[in-house]
């Protein structure tokens, strides 16, 4: 499923980013479009949908379980929902490639089916922790086998589930969503408490599909089985996690002026804007409106000198995927930036604390690696040769670093950019980044 490893980016130094861009659709929302659309009672349709390797993995999984999905038009998907009990056993393991969201959410959705499933993935995904979802699912009655290390491949037997009252031990929307999806099939009530806010796309989309989901005053979520998901027709907002590379690139490079259109600014996702503004970035949030029950806006970003900051820990889960980009911004900010409370970065597509620290060291920036974060001493960037470790967000973040580097930045192992942002290189070139692919 994962793309060849040999793709390298060569990014020439200097330049500025100028122009307007709609980055591809939100990855988290696009996965949920496929999952809830597949279970809905009728046909659903979405535009602005992210067609990437990760969402293709989710689509392939549901096709293998008998759902007819047409995803041929650009940014468009049509799903013939089979209803809550219409999925069929796949005849082979579901290969989820690089996609943690597919693996963790499917685990919850499949635990209560009346058939067995096997889940597998690529080298990175088969190293990522799955016990965080498997253990609470087992207390709901799920029968799931993992590897000895608690990772994929998984065998899910499919068994009757019962609701639990569960406090999330890690701030993870994937875990929360996994349990909500399992709760759609569990006897009694499933109650989920989170002490830190994480992205709420599953809750919003369940509500849009008419599923009664209750949030009480303390923020706990209550869900029950029974009922139907209504089909939908919606437009997926542009992905703020993809927009983040341009927010950072334009903030770094003098002369930059970029308009990013229709970007999702859900308050459980958008802290990259707050953090960059704390650093002195010039970002104007304009034309606020709603798409698919999600707030969106156009983001106008212009160059501004940045200062180091101490990143408030409460913002960490709300910017969790944007730290590769934010830490590249920190590298040229004046002074020191401190990130703590971000141990989750170590179990993403790569160990993002270490891969960012190694990449910044290659470009001549001093950092201190912490168990749960990174201290970055801003300075001047040299050119250099970066290993992205197959992590899409590391590759794109370091491509932006070249805008202010003294020499070219070469980045290895970039094929996985296609998991979240197909067309990244063309989009970046279109705005003025001197980037090319070397095969
Ligand atoms: C996601 C949740 C986050 C995020 C991931 C997408 C989701 O993961 O990093 O890219 O769509 O629910 P965690 O829940 O593991 O933090």
């Amino acid at each position: 499923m994962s793309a060849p490893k040999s793709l390298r980016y060569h990014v020439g130094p200097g330049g500025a980013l100028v122009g307007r861009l709609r980055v591809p659709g939100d990855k988290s929302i696009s996965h949920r479009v496929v999952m809830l659309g597949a279970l809905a009672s009728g046909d659903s349709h979405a535009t602005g949908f992210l067609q990437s390797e990760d969402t293709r993995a989710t689509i392939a999984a549901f096709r293998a379980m008998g759902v007819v999905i047409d995803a041929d038009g650009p940014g468009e998907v049509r799903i013939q929902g089979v209803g809550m009990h219409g999925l069929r056993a796949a005849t082979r393991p579901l290969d989820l490639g690089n996609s943690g969201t597919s693996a963790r959410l499917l685990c919850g959705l499949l635990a209560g089916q009346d058939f067995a499933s096997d889940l597998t993935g690529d080298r990175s995904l088969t190293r990522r922790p799955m016990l965080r979802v498997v253990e609470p699912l087992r207390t709901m009655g799920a029968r799931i086998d993992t590897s000895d290390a608690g990772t994929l491949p998984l065998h899910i037997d499919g068994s009757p589930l019962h609701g639990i009252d569960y406090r999330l031990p890690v701030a993870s929307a994937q875990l929360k969503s996994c349990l909500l999806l399992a709760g759609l099939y569990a006897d009694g009530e499933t109650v989920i408490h989170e002490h830190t806010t994480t992205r709420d796309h599953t809750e919003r989309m369940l509500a849009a599909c008419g599923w009664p989901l209750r949030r009480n005053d303390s923020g706990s979520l209550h869900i029950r089985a029974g009922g139907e998901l209504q089909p939908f027709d919606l437009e997926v907002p542009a992905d703020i996690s993809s927009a983040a590379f341009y927010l950072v690139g334009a903030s770094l490079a003098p002369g930059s002026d970029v308009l990013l259109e229709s970007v999702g600014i859900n308050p459980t996702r958008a802290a990259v804007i707050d953090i960059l503004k704390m650093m002195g970035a010039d970002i104007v949030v304009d034309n606020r409106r709603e798409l698919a029950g999600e707030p969106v806006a156009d983001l106008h970003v212009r160059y501004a000198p940045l200062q180091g900051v101490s990143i408030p820990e409460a913002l960490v889960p709300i910017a969790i995927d944007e730290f590769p980009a934010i830490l590249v911004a920190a590298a040229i900010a004046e002074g020191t930036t401190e990130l703590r409370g971000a141990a989750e970065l170590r179990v993403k597509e790569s160990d993002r604390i270490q891969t960012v620290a190694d990449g910044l060291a290659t470009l001549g920036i001093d950092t201190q690696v912490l168990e749960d974060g990174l201290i970055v001493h801003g300075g001047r960037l040299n050119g250099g040769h970066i290993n992205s470790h197959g992590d899409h967000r590391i590759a794109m973040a370091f491509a932006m670093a070249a805008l202010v580097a003294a020499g070219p930045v070469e980045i290895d192992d970039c094929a996985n950019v296609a998991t979240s942002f197909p067309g990244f290189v063309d989009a970046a070139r279109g705005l003025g980044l001197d980037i090319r692919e070397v095969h």
Side-chain angles (χ1 to χ4, degrees), residues 178-198:
C178 163
L179 299 178
L180 286 173
L181 293 174
L184 297 179
Y185 292 92
D187 258 2
E189 196 174 43
T190 300
V191 184
I192 301 167
H193 313 272
E194 47 177 2
H195 36 73
T196 324
T197 305
T198 62

Side-chain angles (χ1 to χ4, degrees), residues 56-92:
R56 270 196 286 276
T58 296
I59 289 174
F62 281 91
R63 282 183 175 149
M65 293 188 286
V67 183
V68 175
I69 302 174
D70 172 359
D72 294 338
E76 210 172 347
V77 68
R78 284 175 202 282
I79 308 154
Q80 296 182 21
V82 295
M84 293 302 294
H85 298 283
L87 296 177
R88 303 196 300 261
T91 53
R92 53 183 190 283

Side-chain angles (χ1 to χ4, degrees), residues 110-336:
L110 295 176
Q113 304 291 332
D114 58 8
F115 55 81
S117 308
D118 290 283
L119 306 188
T120 188
D122 73 3
R123 236 167 81 84
S124 155
L125 185 58
T126 50
R127 287 195 209 143
R128 295 178 66 185
M130 291 299 289
L131 289 180
R132 57 179 57 193
V133 295
V134 168
E135 281 171 351
L137 287 173
R138 282 180 180 150
T139 68
M140 294 177 80
R143 292 206 305 258
I144 304 176
D145 297 323
T146 68
S147 75
D148 289 347
T151 58
L152 269 65
L154 298 189
H155 176 76
I156 304 171
D157 235 347
S159 55
L161 302 181
H162 51 81
I164 51 169
D165 188 306
Y166 190 70
R167 183 166 295 279
L168 301 184
V170 279
S172 165
Q174 291 179 353
L175 171 54
K176 173 177 63 175
S177 302
C178 163
L179 299 178
L180 286 173
L181 293 174
L184 297 179
Y185 292 92
D187 258 2
E189 196 174 43
T190 300
V191 184
I192 301 167
H193 313 272
E194 47 177 2
H195 36 73
T196 324
T197 305
T198 62
R199 67 189 68 193
D200 64 359
H201 305 302
T202 306
E203 297 91 302
R204 285 175 188 254
M205 199 169 294
L206 282 169
C209 292
W211 196 277
L213 169 74
R214 191 162 59 80
R215 185 184 284 278
N216 74 7
D217 293 345
S218 64
S220 306
L221 293 164
H222 298 246
I223 196 164
R224 284 180 180 276
E228 291 189 344
L229 288 166
Q230 299 309 315
F232 49 80
D233 191 347
L234 56 79
E235 181 178 345
V236 177
D239 197 328
I240 190 159
S241 299
S242 297
F245 303 107
Y246 295 97
L247 291 177
V248 165
S251 297
L252 298 184
S256 293
D257 187 333
V258 173
L259 187 73
L260 296 156
E261 294 167 346
S262 301
V263 180
I265 53 159
N266 179 321
T268 64
R269 278 292 292 288
V272 60
I273 299 173
D274 305 304
I275 295 170
L276 290 174
K277 279 185 163 177
M278 283 171 60
M279 296 175 79
D282 176 0
I283 301 172
V284 176
V285 180
D286 230 0
N287 192 15
R288 290 173 189 262
R289 56 209 188 276
E290 228 179 66
L291 283 182
E294 295 271 350
V296 300
D298 299 333
L299 305 180
H300 188 182
V301 53
R302 278 174 282 221
Y303 162 76
L306 301 182
Q307 293 93 47
V309 290
S310 183
I311 296 170
E313 285 194 27
L315 296 185
V316 168
I318 307 173
I320 193 69
D321 289 342
E322 289 66 72
F323 284 108
I326 292 168
L327 294 169
V328 162
I332 71 116
E334 194 183 316
T336 299

